[in-house]
Amino acid sequence: MDLKIGVGKRLAYCRKRAGYTQKQAGEAVNMTQPNYARYERGVYELNYYQIKTLCALFDVSSDYLFGLSKDIGRN
């Protein structure tokens, strides 16, 4: 699976699990809902700031987000 698509799928799962809308998640990283949706679809790549912010927002580890760990929690 393409890395961007895998990250996007896990990002969507984490967002839903945390109870956020795409609009709310996008606002956390200073973007619109349509732009945020492109990350979940694997069209765009996240930058370091976005990764850090979204992991904190959703309370997940970056290892989980990148598919390096099956453990969803932060260390």
Side-chain angles (χ1 to χ4, degrees):
M1 177 182 309
D2 179 84
L3 180 61
K4 287 189 296 185
I5 292 172
V7 168
K9 287 182 183 224
R10 285 184 290 280
L11 191 63
Y13 171 77
C14 292
R15 176 184 56 78
K16 291 172 188 174
R17 178 179 167 268
Y20 288 94
T21 65
Q22 285 184 337
K23 182 178 181 190
Q24 292 168 321
E27 287 173 351
V29 288
N30 301 314
M31 70 178 70
T32 64
Q33 180 277 326
N35 278 343
Y36 179 83
R38 290 179 181 100
Y39 289 91
E40 287 193 359
R41 290 196 317 267
V43 175
Y44 291 163
E45 292 181 10
L46 297 165
N47 66 38
Y48 298 126
Y49 165 79
Q50 293 164 333
I51 294 165
K52 181 181 176 184
T53 302
L54 291 170
C55 285
L57 181 68
F58 301 148
D59 196 29
V60 299
S61 71
S62 58
D63 282 352
Y64 175 78
L65 198 59
F66 286 112
L68 300 173
S69 171
K70 293 182 182 195
D71 183 17
I72 197 166
R74 293 190 307 176
N75 296 330

